[in-house]
Amino acid sequence: MNAIRSTLSAVLLCAAVLPSLSCTDSTTPISGVINVTVATLGASIDPDGYALSLDDGVAQPISVNGSLSFSGLAAGNHTVRLGGIEPNCTVSGSSTRTVAISESGNGSHVAIQFSVQCTAKPGSIRITSATSGVELDPDGYSVRFFALAGVTPPSTIQLPLNGTVDLTGLKAGNYAITLFGVAENCVVDGFTERTVSVAVGSSMEVPFVIRCVQSGGLAVKTVTTGVDLPTTAFFVELQLQGGGNLDVGVPANANGTVTFPKLLPGSYLMTVHEIAANCDPTLANPRLVTVVAGSISPIQVDVKCEVPRRIAFVFNEALRADIVIVNSNRTDAVQLTTNIAADTDPAWSPDGKKIAFTSQRDGNSEIYVMNADGSNQTRITTVASIDNRPAWSPNGAKIAFVSERDGNREIYVMNSDGTNATRLTTDGAIDGDPDWSPDGTRIAFRSDRDGASGIFVMNADGTGVRRLTSNSRPERQPAWSPDGTRIAFSRGVSANTRDIYVMKSDGTGVTQLTPGFEDAADPSWSPDGRKIAFGEISYYYGPEFYVISVTGVLYSAVTPLSPASNPAWRP
């Protein structure tokens, strides 16, 4: 080292005394160079880069994928240190390197590379609760959360009345946050369910503000009279009006009292669900009721039951299907057909004494007629083509049906004994699902003639065809109401779901009746026009059939056997 200092002193003296002359000496070493490069891969990379220092001197900035050189270095060991590394990044090897500059006559160049791998920074969600008012629930709340795009099941955590819960270590993405356990006398500002988008390394705030007031309550007394009283419980539901988020329900016996305590004062829409289909509340259902602070208000629900009506339906078992009839209160089910082939599409004659249906017992779909007790099953179509979907005329003299006997699916009409079959539609598209108007002058049907299947109507002789609906989703199975003023039908809501809709007989006033069902089909009006039976192909339960009021209130399940479909009320 003393030799190096002597040499350096000589060079400096030479430069000072003889600046115009070359002072190079063959014994003076050329200074060394250290070239440093950084290569960074991964996620959540800090755009500010790093700090690079030599021999613990002043640090110099270097980009995440950049290079920097230290020159004029004396021979010997030197320390290069890479700093400013974020916690989500790691350096391959060590962030501190020691390198040697040799004493060769021409100096030396040394290359160092730092390889950095970064991972995505986790995000977090902070959930806060702020509760004020009176009659606070000391148990606090529950919060359920889960990643919308993940496969991890939901997690539930407790949240105090006034406090904070932190969800940490979260991957970037959308999360569903739902607040549970809010007392009925309390209201949450905004929605109890929130969707939160967490970015890499971000911290999101989800505040819940809850305000509680002095509660009231309802004592709902059910009084059921009439005949064939139900043995199953009703279900009483309350929905807070005016933008509230309260929706509670409890089972209630046919004759008994249920209490809804600690309710938020205000107006509620009270609905009695799951009543037997032969029973109805005597007052409007649903109806408005009022909750007063500091008191339990009595409410009486009067239900009157009548003799149940018969409903025919298709019972599907394995590869066969049979016609069964049952009372609207689930009692007295009788199987009418027992053939190993499929029997479907039951249709009552206007006097209720006969049932027309489709059968494949002869190797081909044909129309049959039988007595209401299942006797005298008689084939009335005999051509070698598909015949199905029978529908009686109001006077019982004729039956409309669908046939492919002329090479295309068209609507025909024949005498009720199968004679004098006449083609009514002549379009090249598919026509089907005929149903007579109550006065016998018109037939509603579905057709694909304008693209998507829609609901059409024509005169009983096939003239005057016009379309009633203009929806782009497929529509099928029109059914006239007993008074002829309305038509129920099935409409596709999405690619995989259908619901029942009702419209006026001129095609106006279309209203969705069954929102939320998976595959509602085959609507059939009750003789009094107040209820509609329909089939439902559930993902979990398979084909079932239900009854719903024209106001959208669901009755208790009618199906005594499952799978079941194609319900048809007896006139």
Side-chain angles (χ1 to χ4, degrees):
M1 185 64 69
N2 290 332
I4 295 174
R5 290 194 181 115
S6 299
T7 302
L8 181 59
S9 298
V11 170
L12 293 176
L13 178 62
C14 176
V17 176
L18 301 171
S20 61
L21 299 178
S22 173
C23 298
T24 300
D25 188 282
S26 60
T27 62
T28 302
I30 300 175
S31 60
V33 176
I34 299 176
N35 296 314
V36 182
T37 60
V38 178
T40 306
L41 299 174
S44 301
I45 298 173
D46 186 359
D48 295 333
Y50 312 108
L52 193 65
S53 63
L54 177 68
D55 297 332
D56 293 323
V58 177
Q60 301 184 48
I62 185 171
S63 64
V64 294
N65 288 286
S67 59
L68 185 66
S69 295
F70 296 99
S71 58
L73 304 179
N77 293 330
H78 296 272
T79 300
V80 179
R81 195 184 311 278
L82 184 68
I85 302 169
E86 293 293 313
N88 66 305
C89 301
T90 57
V91 180
S92 178
S94 173
S95 60
T96 301
R97 311 282 177 84
T98 298
V99 295
I101 298 296
S102 68
E103 297 183 5
S104 62
N106 295 321
S108 64
H109 287 67
V110 179
I112 299 176
Q113 182 177 33
F114 291 99
S115 296
V116 184
Q117 181 70 45
C118 299
T119 58
K121 290 182 179 179
S124 64
I125 299 174
R126 169 162 288 188
I127 304 172
T128 61
S129 59
T131 307
S132 61
V134 297
E135 294 187 32
L136 307 185
D137 186 352
D139 295 336
Y141 314 106
S142 296
V143 174
R144 184 179 66 181
F145 73 96
F146 61 93
L148 293 178
V151 295
T152 304
S155 298
T156 301
I157 57 175
Q158 295 303 117
L159 180 66
L161 290 176
N162 293 280
T164 300
V165 171
D166 289 315
L167 308 177
T168 59
L170 303 179
K171 294 181 179 180
N174 294 325
Y175 291 81
I177 309 290
T178 306
L179 184 70
F180 292 97
V182 180
E184 283 81 358
N185 66 306
C186 303
V187 63
V188 180
D189 289 357
F191 295 101
T192 56
E193 183 172 347
R194 317 274 177 88
T195 298
V196 183
S197 181
V198 176
V200 172
S202 68
S203 179
M204 305 301 296
E205 299 282 341
V206 180
F208 288 103
V209 177
I210 304 98
R211 309 177 197 279
C212 303
V213 299
Q214 184 181 15
S215 66
L218 292 177
V220 180
K221 180 181 180 181
T222 54
V223 178
T224 306
T225 59
V227 295
D228 291 294
L229 303 188
T231 58
T232 57
F234 304 152
F235 192 81
V236 181
E237 180 186 31
L238 296 176
Q239 290 179 299
L240 181 63
Q241 298 298 287
N245 52 28
L246 178 64
D247 187 346
V248 295
V250 296
N253 292 326
N255 289 285
T257 301
V258 293
T259 301
F260 292 86
K262 295 193 69 174
L263 294 176
L264 193 70
S267 295
Y268 290 78
L269 191 66
M270 183 180 71
T271 307
V272 183
H273 294 282
E274 299 183 16
I275 302 174
N278 67 310
C279 304
D280 286 288
T282 57
L283 296 179
N285 186 38
R287 78 184 208 236
L288 282 175
V289 295
T290 301
V291 173
V292 179
S295 66
I296 302 294
S297 302
I299 300 292
Q300 182 164 316
V301 176
D302 293 299
V303 177
K304 186 175 181 179
C305 300
E306 61 183 12
V307 175
R309 293 182 179 272
R310 302 293 267 169
I311 300 176
F313 67 97
V314 176
F315 169 49
N316 302 90
E317 183 179 27
L319 298 177
R320 59 181 292 175
D322 286 299
I323 308 296
V324 178
I325 56 174
V326 66
N327 287 333
S328 57
N329 64 349
R330 293 179 64 102
T331 63
D332 195 20
V334 178
Q335 185 170 329
L336 301 184
T337 65
T338 58
N339 196 282
I340 194 171
D343 297 323
T344 58
D345 301 333
W348 292 91
S349 62
D351 60 7
K353 295 181 179 181
K354 294 184 178 182
I355 297 175
F357 63 99
T358 302
S359 180
Q360 297 182 6
R361 63 186 64 183
D362 297 309
N364 184 55
S365 291
E366 300 291 350
I367 307 299
Y368 279 69
V369 172
M370 63 182 168
N371 295 331
D373 62 1
S375 63
N376 195 27
Q377 297 180 17
T378 304
R379 178 176 174 177
I380 62 173
T381 60
T382 58
V383 298
S385 66
I386 294 176
D387 298 319
N388 59 18
R389 303 295 290 187
W392 294 81
S393 64
N395 62 7
K398 296 182 180 297
I399 294 177
F401 65 101
V402 179
S403 180
E404 295 185 6
R405 62 187 61 193
D406 292 319
N408 188 54
R409 195 173 302 176
E410 303 286 356
I411 295 174
Y412 289 71
V413 67
M414 61 183 170
N415 295 331
S416 58
D417 62 0
T419 62
N420 195 27
T422 304
R423 180 173 173 174
L424 297 183
T425 60
T426 57
D427 195 270
I430 293 176
D431 297 322
D433 303 336
D435 191 63
W436 295 79
S437 64
D439 62 6
T441 62
R442 292 171 292 171
I443 295 176
F445 65 101
R446 68 101 167 178
S447 179
D448 296 346
R449 62 187 62 195
D450 290 337
S453 180
I455 306 302
F456 289 73
V457 69
M458 63 182 170
N459 296 328
D461 61 0
T463 63
V465 175
R466 66 185 183 92
R467 181 165 186 160
L468 297 181
T469 58
S470 58
N471 189 63
S472 60
R473 290 287 183 182
E475 298 164 330
R476 298 181 175 88
Q477 301 134 2
W480 292 85
S481 63
D483 62 4
T485 62
R486 291 167 294 178
I487 295 176
F489 61 98
S490 173
R491 170 185 285 181
V493 179
S494 67
N496 300 312
T497 61
R498 289 186 292 175
D499 273 305
I500 304 300
Y501 286 71
V502 176
M503 64 182 170
K504 295 180 181 179
S505 58
D506 62 359
T508 62
V510 177
T511 303
Q512 188 173 2
L513 185 63
T514 62
F517 282 83
E518 292 178 44
D519 195 5
D522 285 311
S524 174
W525 293 82
S526 63
D528 58 15
R530 295 186 296 113
K531 304 168 187 177
I532 293 176
F534 64 97
E536 157 74 351
I537 302 177
S538 168
Y539 177 80
Y540 292 102
Y541 304 109
E544 302 272 352
F545 84 86
Y546 300 86
V547 172
I548 193 169
S549 73
V550 293
T551 59
V553 179
L554 198 65
Y555 291 81
S556 63
V558 179
T559 312
L561 300 171
S562 181
S565 59
N566 290 127
W569 290 88
R570 181 176 184 174

